[in-house]
């Protein structure tokens, strides 16, 4: 009886030992898994901190670029924006050359060899004090001016047909910019079109500004679409080559 009980206790002790070894192995596995999760958590925290720093840097850079853009937009709306150098000096120097012996050689435009019009600027007969003004000498001043003149041309275009095949024929002058007749019989001449294209493509002026210059300066009623089409068509017209030399 005693030996049977002893064997039973030994069997239970072996079972407990096996269970204890299994629990210890499970604890070791869980400890390793916990350490791996802890390392992964630390890596994620470091990555999160790095992303936060990058996000803060990008936000500051975005704010800086936005301020620069706003300053550039405000500066472009000011009249002197193209000539502005940014922040003004507290004590700026006097502009221009310094007077004295170190001024340097003075340059000026030469008078023209020929003038087209002479305009007299006479003296007043009386001074503001009531005295009589006497003539001493004559000085000359030269001024360059442009003549704004718009004139109309009419082309008497002959219309005919072939007696054999009945094909329609229409006369053409090299100075014409279009063959259109009827509702589109009023056209712009080559000089006007070339000037408009020069302002648009050469100087970068918008079509509306070009039309405004032609209207205000030369009393030419021009639509923006006319300037746009002219920029596309002029290089394919026979008069484009010689006209571009005028501008």
């Amino acid at each position: 009886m005693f030996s049977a009980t002893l064997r039973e206790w030994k069997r239970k002790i072996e079972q407990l030992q096996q269970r204890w070894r299994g629990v210890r192995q499970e604890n070791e596995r869980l400890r390793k898994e916990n350490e791996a999760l802890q390392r992964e958590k630390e890596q994620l925290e470091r990555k999160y901190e790095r992303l936060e720093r990058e996000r803060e840097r990008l936000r500051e850079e975005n704010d800086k670029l936005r301020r620069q853009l706003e300053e550039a937009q405000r500066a472009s709306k000011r009249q002197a924006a193209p000539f502005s150098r940014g922040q003004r000096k507290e004590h700026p120097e006097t502009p221009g050359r310094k007077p004295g012996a170190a001024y340097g050689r003075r340059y000026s435009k030469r008078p023209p060899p020929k003038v087209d019009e002479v305009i007299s600027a006479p003296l007043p007969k009386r001074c503001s004090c009531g005295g009589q003004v006497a003539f001493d000498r004559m000085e000359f001043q030269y001024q360059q001016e442009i003549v704004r003149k718009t004139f109309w041309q009419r082309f008497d275009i002959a219309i005919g047909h072939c007696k054999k095949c009945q094909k329609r024929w229409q006369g053409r002058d090299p100075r014409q910019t279009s063959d259109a007749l009827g509702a589109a019989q009023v056209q712009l001449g080559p000089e006007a079109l070339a000037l408009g294209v020069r302002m648009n493509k050469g100087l970068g002026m918008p079509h509306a500004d070009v039309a405004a210059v032609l209207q205000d300066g030369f009393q030419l009623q021009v639509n923006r679409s006319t300037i746009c089409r002219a920029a596309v068509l002029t290089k394919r017209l026979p008069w484009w080559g010689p006209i571009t030399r005028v501008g």
Side-chain angles (χ1 to χ4, degrees), residues 83-94:
F83 311 99
S84 176
R85 295 185 179 180
Q87 188 175 2
R88 295 180 177 272
K89 295 182 179 180
E90 295 182 0
H91 304 287
E93 297 181 358
T94 304

PDB file of all heavy atoms in Angstrom, residues 83-94:
ATOM      1  N   PHE A  83      12.168  98.112 -59.585  1.00  0.00           N
ATOM      2  CA  PHE A  83      13.433  98.737 -59.259  1.00  0.00           C
ATOM      3  C   PHE A  83      13.758  98.641 -57.769  1.00  0.00           C
ATOM      4  O   PHE A  83      14.756  99.182 -57.312  1.00  0.00           O
ATOM      5  CB  PHE A  83      13.403 100.222 -59.674  1.00  0.00           C
ATOM      6  CG  PHE A  83      12.918 100.414 -61.075  1.00  0.00           C
ATOM      7  CD1 PHE A  83      11.610 100.779 -61.327  1.00  0.00           C
ATOM      8  CD2 PHE A  83      13.761 100.193 -62.148  1.00  0.00           C
ATOM      9  CE1 PHE A  83      11.159 100.953 -62.621  1.00  0.00           C
ATOM     10  CE2 PHE A  83      13.310 100.361 -63.443  1.00  0.00           C
ATOM     11  CZ  PHE A  83      12.009 100.737 -63.677  1.00  0.00           C
ATOM     12  N   SER A  84      12.891  97.997 -56.990  1.00  0.00           N
ATOM     13  CA  SER A  84      13.109  97.926 -55.552  1.00  0.00           C
ATOM     14  C   SER A  84      14.213  96.928 -55.220  1.00  0.00           C
ATOM     15  O   SER A  84      14.330  95.876 -55.839  1.00  0.00           O
ATOM     16  CB  SER A  84      11.812  97.509 -54.853  1.00  0.00           C
ATOM     17  OG  SER A  84      12.032  97.354 -53.471  1.00  0.00           O
ATOM     18  N   ARG A  85      15.013  97.247 -54.225  1.00  0.00           N
ATOM     19  CA  ARG A  85      16.100  96.366 -53.789  1.00  0.00           C
ATOM     20  C   ARG A  85      15.808  95.756 -52.420  1.00  0.00           C
ATOM     21  O   ARG A  85      16.720  95.321 -51.725  1.00  0.00           O
ATOM     22  CB  ARG A  85      17.409  97.140 -53.731  1.00  0.00           C
ATOM     23  CG  ARG A  85      17.883  97.618 -55.100  1.00  0.00           C
ATOM     24  CD  ARG A  85      19.241  98.266 -55.005  1.00  0.00           C
ATOM     25  NE  ARG A  85      19.709  98.710 -56.306  1.00  0.00           N
ATOM     26  CZ  ARG A  85      20.881  99.310 -56.519  1.00  0.00           C
ATOM     27  NH1 ARG A  85      21.691  99.543 -55.502  1.00  0.00           N
ATOM     28  NH2 ARG A  85      21.236  99.694 -57.726  1.00  0.00           N
ATOM     29  N   GLY A  86      14.546  95.771 -52.017  1.00  0.00           N
ATOM     30  CA  GLY A  86      14.202  95.181 -50.733  1.00  0.00           C
ATOM     31  C   GLY A  86      14.157  96.224 -49.629  1.00  0.00           C
ATOM     32  O   GLY A  86      13.621  97.323 -49.791  1.00  0.00           O
ATOM     33  N   GLN A  87      14.734  95.903 -48.506  1.00  0.00           N
ATOM     34  CA  GLN A  87      14.693  96.795 -47.351  1.00  0.00           C
ATOM     35  C   GLN A  87      15.577  98.017 -47.582  1.00  0.00           C
ATOM     36  O   GLN A  87      16.699  97.923 -48.042  1.00  0.00           O
ATOM     37  CB  GLN A  87      15.163  96.047 -46.101  1.00  0.00           C
ATOM     38  CG  GLN A  87      14.963  96.841 -44.813  1.00  0.00           C
ATOM     39  CD  GLN A  87      15.331  96.012 -43.602  1.00  0.00           C
ATOM     40  OE1 GLN A  87      15.761  94.856 -43.755  1.00  0.00           O
ATOM     41  NE2 GLN A  87      15.174  96.571 -42.426  1.00  0.00           N
ATOM     42  N   ARG A  88      15.045  99.193 -47.259  1.00  0.00           N
ATOM     43  CA  ARG A  88      15.777 100.432 -47.454  1.00  0.00           C
ATOM     44  C   ARG A  88      16.848 100.613 -46.379  1.00  0.00           C
ATOM     45  O   ARG A  88      16.713 100.142 -45.254  1.00  0.00           O
ATOM     46  CB  ARG A  88      14.817 101.627 -47.429  1.00  0.00           C
ATOM     47  CG  ARG A  88      13.820 101.628 -48.569  1.00  0.00           C
ATOM     48  CD  ARG A  88      12.901 102.845 -48.457  1.00  0.00           C
ATOM     49  NE  ARG A  88      11.974 102.923 -49.571  1.00  0.00           N
ATOM     50  CZ  ARG A  88      12.239 103.526 -50.714  1.00  0.00           C
ATOM     51  NH1 ARG A  88      13.411 104.122 -50.899  1.00  0.00           N
ATOM     52  NH2 ARG A  88      11.349 103.560 -51.687  1.00  0.00           N
ATOM     53  N   LYS A  89      17.897 101.340 -46.758  1.00  0.00           N
ATOM     54  CA  LYS A  89      18.941 101.666 -45.800  1.00  0.00           C
ATOM     55  C   LYS A  89      18.467 102.768 -44.869  1.00  0.00           C
ATOM     56  O   LYS A  89      17.659 103.624 -45.237  1.00  0.00           O
ATOM     57  CB  LYS A  89      20.205 102.123 -46.533  1.00  0.00           C
ATOM     58  CG  LYS A  89      20.855 101.041 -47.374  1.00  0.00           C
ATOM     59  CD  LYS A  89      22.135 101.580 -48.027  1.00  0.00           C
ATOM     60  CE  LYS A  89      22.812 100.515 -48.862  1.00  0.00           C
ATOM     61  NZ  LYS A  89      24.048 101.030 -49.506  1.00  0.00           N
ATOM     62  N   GLU A  90      18.974 102.740 -43.623  1.00  0.00           N
ATOM     63  CA  GLU A  90      18.588 103.766 -42.669  1.00  0.00           C
ATOM     64  C   GLU A  90      19.162 105.120 -43.053  1.00  0.00           C
ATOM     65  O   GLU A  90      18.504 106.151 -42.901  1.00  0.00           O
ATOM     66  CB  GLU A  90      19.053 103.364 -41.270  1.00  0.00           C
ATOM     67  CG  GLU A  90      18.373 102.105 -40.736  1.00  0.00           C
ATOM     68  CD  GLU A  90      18.831 101.781 -39.326  1.00  0.00           C
ATOM     69  OE1 GLU A  90      19.671 102.543 -38.790  1.00  0.00           O
ATOM     70  OE2 GLU A  90      18.337 100.776 -38.768  1.00  0.00           O
ATOM     71  N   HIS A  91      20.397 105.148 -43.538  1.00  0.00           N
ATOM     72  CA  HIS A  91      21.045 106.401 -43.928  1.00  0.00           C
ATOM     73  C   HIS A  91      21.594 106.244 -45.353  1.00  0.00           C
ATOM     74  O   HIS A  91      22.801 106.036 -45.548  1.00  0.00           O
ATOM     75  CB  HIS A  91      22.170 106.761 -42.949  1.00  0.00           C
ATOM     76  CG  HIS A  91      21.697 106.835 -41.525  1.00  0.00           C
ATOM     77  ND1 HIS A  91      20.926 107.870 -41.048  1.00  0.00           N
ATOM     78  CD2 HIS A  91      21.880 105.977 -40.486  1.00  0.00           C
ATOM     79  CE1 HIS A  91      20.667 107.665 -39.769  1.00  0.00           C
ATOM     80  NE2 HIS A  91      21.222 106.520 -39.397  1.00  0.00           N
ATOM     81  N   PRO A  92      20.736 106.315 -46.353  1.00  0.00           N
ATOM     82  CA  PRO A  92      21.201 106.111 -47.737  1.00  0.00           C
ATOM     83  C   PRO A  92      22.053 107.280 -48.201  1.00  0.00           C
ATOM     84  O   PRO A  92      21.906 108.414 -47.734  1.00  0.00           O
ATOM     85  CB  PRO A  92      19.897 106.024 -48.529  1.00  0.00           C
ATOM     86  CG  PRO A  92      18.923 106.815 -47.729  1.00  0.00           C
ATOM     87  CD  PRO A  92      19.299 106.599 -46.291  1.00  0.00           C
ATOM     88  N   GLU A  93      22.961 106.963 -49.128  1.00  0.00           N
ATOM     89  CA  GLU A  93      23.800 108.009 -49.698  1.00  0.00           C
ATOM     90  C   GLU A  93      23.026 108.777 -50.765  1.00  0.00           C
ATOM     91  O   GLU A  93      22.024 108.316 -51.295  1.00  0.00           O
ATOM     92  CB  GLU A  93      25.051 107.379 -50.331  1.00  0.00           C
ATOM     93  CG  GLU A  93      25.947 106.670 -49.321  1.00  0.00           C
ATOM     94  CD  GLU A  93      27.174 106.089 -49.986  1.00  0.00           C
ATOM     95  OE1 GLU A  93      27.284 106.209 -51.225  1.00  0.00           O
ATOM     96  OE2 GLU A  93      28.022 105.514 -49.278  1.00  0.00           O
ATOM     97  N   THR A  94      23.515 109.959 -51.049  1.00  0.00           N
ATOM     98  CA  THR A  94      22.877 110.785 -52.067  1.00  0.00           C
ATOM     99  C   THR A  94      23.041 110.134 -53.436  1.00  0.00           C
ATOM    100  O   THR A  94      24.153 109.763 -53.812  1.00  0.00           O
ATOM    101  CB  THR A  94      23.494 112.191 -52.081  1.00  0.00           C
ATOM    102  OG1 THR A  94      23.396 112.759 -50.776  1.00  0.00           O
ATOM    103  CG2 THR A  94      22.766 113.085 -53.083  1.00  0.00           C
TER     104      THR A  94
END
